[in-house]
Structure formats: C-alpha cells, structure tokens
Amino acid sequence: MSKRSLQDDNIPYSNHEQTKPHKLLKTASSKIDVSKAQSLLLARLNGIELPNELYGIDKEYNTLYKILKQTVTSGESNSCLIVGNRGTGKSTLVRTVLRDLQDLENEFCIVKLNGLTEVNDRLALNEISRQLVSEQNQPERSFASFADSFDYLLSLLKSGDKSSLPVIFVLDEFDLFAQHPKQALLYNLFDAAQSAQNPMAVIGLTCRLDALDLLEKRVKSRFSHRQIYLFPSPNFGEFLNIAKGTLALPDDYTGSEAFNLDLEELFQNPTVNGILRRIFDISKDIRMFQKICFPPVCKLKETAPFLSAEEFTESSLIQRADSKTAMLKGIALLELILIISMKKLLEKDVTTFNFQMVYDEYKDFMNRTQVNGMGFGMKLYKQAVALKAFENLQMFELVCPVDAPGKCPKEFRMTKLMLEQAQVTEAVLKYNCSQMIKKWATGAS
Ligand SMILES: Nc1ncnc2c1ncn2[C@@H]1O[C@H](COP(=O)(O)OP(=O)(O)OP(=O)(O)O)[C@@H](O)[C@H]1O
C-alpha cells in the first residue's frame, strides 16, 4: 500500500537532509539484470505495469477498496465516480484496488469500457458481452439489435450458476458515455446496480468536474452520488516521490538495491531536480516527466546499468522544443532578421508595431554594421522585398494583426509577434547565420 511522503510540505527536496548513497555498495552489488529492469521500467512508463506504491492517496484508496470489497465479498451493489485531472492517478488507483482485491478468496468479473473506443451504447454492449463471455467461458454470439444484446447481457448477469459472480464495471472517460443518446447504457447499468439483481459495482473515471450534471435526471437518481476526488500533488516532495516511484526497482529484482541507491543520487542531481521542479511549477503533470524518462531508460545497457543525468538533460531539451521554435529553423534569413527586429522593439516595450517600424529597426542595424565596416555579407533589402518577407511571417502566423485590416495600407497595419523573446533567442542561436546577427539577437550588440 501507499507510503506517506517523508518530506514536509512545500520544501524543495534539495533542502532536506539526504542519506548519501553508499558508493561501495553501489560498486559491489552492481550486478543488475538490465534487460529485465529495462522492460519493467518501460512497461511502467507505458502504463502497463503499476508503480511500486501509491503516494498521497491513501484515503482515496481505502474508500474505493471498501466500496469494491463490499461488492466482492458481501454482494452489495454500488456506484462511484472518480474525478481528477489527467495523470492524477485515477486509472492507477482503480487498477491497484482491483489487483489487491484479487488477493481475496472471492471471485469476480471485471468489465472495462472506455468512452473513447465504445462510442455508442451498441458498441459498449457488445464489448460488455464479449468480456463477460470470455470471462465466463460461454460461446461468443453476435447480436442483431441493441435490445437483443442488452437482454443477453442481463440474462448473463441474472441466470445460471455464474449469476452470483459479482461484476465490476470500470467506465474510463465516463463523461463521454453521458453523450450517448438517451444515456441508455448508463441508465441500465445504474438501474441494475440499484435494483441489486446481481452484485455489481459501476466505477466511472472522468476529468470533468461537472460530470454529474451531464446525467439525465432518471440516470442521476439511480447513481449513488459517491464521488472520489483526486488532485495533482500538492507539494514538490510528493511529486518527487511519484516520479522516483516510476523508476525504482522492486526489492526482488537482482541489483535493485544498487539501482535504487543510484536513483536517489540522480534525484539529488541539481539538473534532474531542476527539470522536475520546472514540470511541477508549470503543470504538475507526472506524464511530462515520464516522457523525458523514455530515452534514458532505453539507453540502459550492461555496460551502463544506471540512469544518467546527462541523458535526462538531453531528453528534457528535446521534449521542451516547441513547434514554433522548430518552425523558425526553416525560415529565410531575411524573415529571421525581421523577427529579431521585432524582438528589439519588444525590448523597448513596444508590444505592437507595423511593418514600417520593423523595417526601420532592421535598417538601423544594417547601417550600424556597414558604418563600422563590419558588414556580414548581406545587403540591405529593399522595402518591397522586406514587406514580402513580413507577409510570409503573417502567413505562418508568427506575426498576427491586432485589429481588422480596414483601409490602412499594409505597411502601417499594427501587428504583434506571436513568439516569446526567449523563443526568438533560442531559435537564432540554433540558426546557421553570422555571429553578428546572433550577437544582435541576444542583445550583445
Ligand atoms: N499517487 C500516485 N502514486 C503513484 N503513481 C502515480 C500517482 N498518481 C499518478 N501516478 C502515476 O502517474 C501516471 C498517470 O496515472 P494514471 O494513468 O492513473 O492517470 P489518470 O488520472 O488515469 O489519467 P487519465 O485521465 O489521462 O486517464 C501513472 O504512471 C501512475 O503510475
């Protein structure tokens, strides 16, 4: 079960007293089964394997475990909605509870549906029947109509020896099921759960806080109104624990002790800590960190069995590359120079500008470099040519008008740059152009 974070609230990890990994232990027991460890970590990153532990959601775990245990052991029907942002651990929570329930003696069936794939009630019913049929070893059947299908499903639930088997329905992307016409599936499921024909639990997972409001009155009245809320990690310590939990090896893995000690060390590395801090500050989205983990995990090998901080840095830079900066790689030099001119205007607190102002800035730069005799082999383009380049930037939506065109001539229409100054600097530094332009863009000239 989950372990509480030992960190205090809102205290960065680096401020804590940390147990230094024992270098000797690391070298002495570095015999790690790398390919097994790599497969496990990749399975975790892909959401196939569950993490070692759940962090910070003990209460929610207990609530759900209690609800489902009652269904499995005492035959009580129930329904519950788990609400939380993307990546807050809804599926992980449900899967962990279901896994732990399987340790009990009692048998039960699980039916998993997803609103993204079961886009209408007919498909959902076929899927329910398919899963129940395969669970209960009954011959597969095809259905001509919705009614047939639902009748067959109910007969599976009600009749025969197997009728006593509790069924747990897990409805991922629950809000999408509410968009099905008449909400027939939800109505029938909640109705069956409420009328206790057969022990069953209906668990809905959703990101929408207003999911309940999407239900029709007759559906809502059959729902138990139990809701479990999950939130993103409230403090950096917990976020670090979840991130570390994704990469830690279970104790029964060969060399897990050395690997986990090295992991501790890695998380104390200022660069890796900085990457995590940035993700925590921006979005608290653990999946963003997991994306960064793929290349370092893929590069594990017998000769390099530990995760490397350099790989994390490189991978995070690739993940951070945004599409606009990437787009700037392919633009013409004149277009880039116009963008730098706009950046120069932004530096002077001029946030909206027309072509004429941008061209003047460009002309100024060219004159300065020519006068000092430091030309970089580029002549001053005529205004008409520069205007064409400016229009190209508008076409790429890197520059956008601030108001309706009206009768104002093109050169004087006010526009704004759709890039951050940092994005421009980053793009210029990567662009194959003269040092003089780079210096100008970075403010050194
Ligand atoms: N409290 C937690 N403890 C351990 N791991 C967690 C926790 N919360 C999230 N994770 C990890 O974050 C990842 C995303 O979690 P999960 O898939 O359960 O999110 P979700 O809320 O179901 O997202 P979605 O709404 O997109 O389906 C998983 O790899 C999971 O292991």
Side-chain angles (χ1 to χ4, degrees):
M1 243 282 291
S2 55
K3 247 187 220 163
R4 279 251 163 258
S5 148
L6 295 173
Q7 323 258 323
D8 296 337
D9 284 9
N10 301 320
I11 300 178
Y13 188 77
S14 47
N15 287 351
H16 285 262
E17 197 189 318
Q18 295 147 355
T19 36
K20 283 272 169 222
H22 203 292
K23 296 264 183 207
L24 282 178
L25 176 68
K26 190 175 145 183
T27 39
S29 57
S30 328
K31 204 74 213 113
I32 297 168
D33 186 344
V34 178
S35 63
K36 197 175 161 200
Q38 193 176 42
S39 316
L40 172 82
L41 297 185
L42 286 176
R44 281 223 198 108
L45 295 174
N46 283 312
I48 302 165
E49 275 288 330
L50 287 168
N52 273 358
E53 291 161 13
L54 292 182
Y55 295 94
I57 49 177
D58 302 19
K59 215 174 105 224
E60 292 78 5
Y61 173 94
N62 289 336
T63 315
L64 187 65
Y65 187 83
K66 224 164 103 191
I67 294 175
L68 294 184
K69 193 176 169 206
Q70 278 168 347
T71 307
V72 173
T73 57
S74 337
E76 259 180 49
S77 291
N78 227 320
S79 50
C80 174
L81 203 55
I82 303 177
V83 188
N85 282 357
R86 294 253 169 239
T88 44
K90 299 183 291 295
S91 317
T92 310
L93 172 67
V94 174
R95 287 174 58 202
T96 312
V97 170
L98 291 176
R99 182 199 62 193
D100 295 349
L101 283 174
Q102 269 155 357
D103 294 343
L104 300 173
E105 300 278 280
N106 308 59
E107 256 191 273
F108 61 95
C109 302
I110 302 168
V111 177
K112 289 182 181 163
L113 301 175
N114 191 312
L116 291 170
T117 44
E118 278 72 61
V119 290
N120 58 46
D121 284 349
R122 174 85 185 274
L123 279 177
L125 276 178
N126 283 346
E127 184 57 24
I128 296 172
S129 309
R130 193 189 64 77
Q131 292 187 28
L132 283 177
V133 166
S134 68
E135 287 253 8
Q136 303 196 1
N137 300 322
Q138 296 201 12
E140 205 164 325
R141 285 179 41 174
S142 60
F143 302 98
S145 69
F146 180 92
D148 272 0
S149 180
F150 198 72
D151 282 351
Y152 177 64
L153 163 71
L154 285 183
S155 72
L156 272 182
L157 293 176
K158 275 185 206 158
S159 66
D161 297 342
K162 306 275 182 182
S163 67
S164 53
L165 263 195
V167 188
I168 297 176
F169 288 91
V170 180
L171 274 59
D172 207 349
E173 311 293 345
F174 176 85
D175 46 293
L176 297 180
F177 288 98
Q179 286 171 15
H180 297 182
K182 294 189 196 157
Q183 302 183 344
L185 177 84
L186 293 183
Y187 173 80
N188 284 300
L189 282 179
F190 286 146
D191 191 52
Q194 201 189 39
S195 56
Q197 295 157 335
N198 191 83
M200 63 186 272
V202 183
I203 309 295
L205 279 67
T206 179
C207 302
R208 284 189 64 165
L209 275 177
D210 63 345
L212 262 194
D213 300 336
L214 302 173
L215 299 180
E216 286 175 15
K217 214 168 147 196
R218 64 195 185 113
V219 182
K220 206 171 176 177
S221 64
R222 282 163 174 78
F223 173 60
S224 72
H225 287 258
R226 276 174 202 264
Q227 293 186 70
I228 297 174
Y229 288 94
L230 293 184
F231 299 97
S233 317
N235 61 65
F236 187 51
E238 195 165 277
F239 185 73
L240 271 183
N241 283 337
I242 297 178
K244 217 185 296 171
T246 318
L247 296 172
L249 291 184
D251 294 343
D252 54 351
Y253 269 56
T254 333
S256 63
E257 205 177 338
F259 188 89
N260 293 345
L261 274 176
D262 184 79
L263 193 66
E264 285 289 339
E265 207 172 343
L266 179 82
F267 272 69
Q268 287 162 26
N269 178 300
T271 328
V272 177
N273 201 278
I275 294 172
L276 279 151
R277 183 89 233 180
R278 190 169 181 272
I279 299 173
F280 179 77
D281 289 342
I282 295 175
S283 64
K284 299 188 171 55
D285 182 1
I286 195 71
R287 287 221 180 98
M288 206 181 264
F289 174 70
Q290 292 180 342
K291 272 189 207 157
I292 294 175
C293 293
F294 274 98
V297 171
C298 287
K299 285 186 182 154
L300 288 178
K301 51 186 178 213
E302 292 299 333
T303 48
F306 298 109
L307 294 165
S308 113
E310 289 75 44
E311 295 289 351
F312 273 92
T313 318
E314 204 175 299
S315 171
S316 102
L317 284 177
I318 295 171
Q319 286 294 333
R320 259 166 52 190
D322 64 303
S323 56
K324 278 188 182 158
T325 320
M327 199 170 163
L328 288 180
K329 270 191 211 161
I331 61 171
L333 183 60
L334 177 59
E335 288 159 359
L336 183 77
I337 288 182
L338 292 180
I339 288 185
I340 302 173
S341 309
M342 289 180 238
K343 178 179 178 271
K344 291 286 148 190
L345 287 170
L346 286 174
E347 283 170 7
K348 294 177 199 161
D349 283 337
V350 183
T351 51
T352 55
F353 28 75
N354 56 34
F355 166 74
Q356 201 55 56
M357 293 157 78
V358 177
Y359 187 77
D360 287 345
E361 198 67 33
Y362 160 53
K363 210 159 68 180
D364 252 19
F365 167 66
M366 292 304 284
N367 288 341
R368 256 185 293 135
T369 51
Q370 303 303 328
V371 167
N372 296 341
M374 308 182 294
F376 54 94
M378 186 186 179
K379 62 181 173 44
L380 175 73
Y381 281 98
K382 287 202 176 110
Q383 202 156 326
V385 181
L387 181 60
K388 189 79 201 122
F390 191 75
E391 280 171 357
N392 281 346
L393 294 176
Q394 281 187 309
M395 205 172 65
F396 299 146
E397 293 184 355
L398 292 171
V399 175
C400 285
V402 283
D403 38 36
K407 284 183 185 163
C408 183
K410 281 185 207 168
E411 300 88 310
F412 300 107
R413 280 179 205 157
M414 294 310 276
T415 55
K416 65 178 174 191
L417 181 64
M418 305 308 284
L419 293 162
E420 294 297 327
Q421 295 189 34
Q423 283 176 310
V424 179
T425 313
E426 200 180 323
V428 175
L429 290 176
K430 281 184 194 159
Y431 200 93
N432 184 14
C433 60
S434 115
Q435 281 305 320
M436 203 167 285
I437 297 179
K438 288 189 180 180
K439 270 188 195 168
W440 179 44
T442 50
S445 145

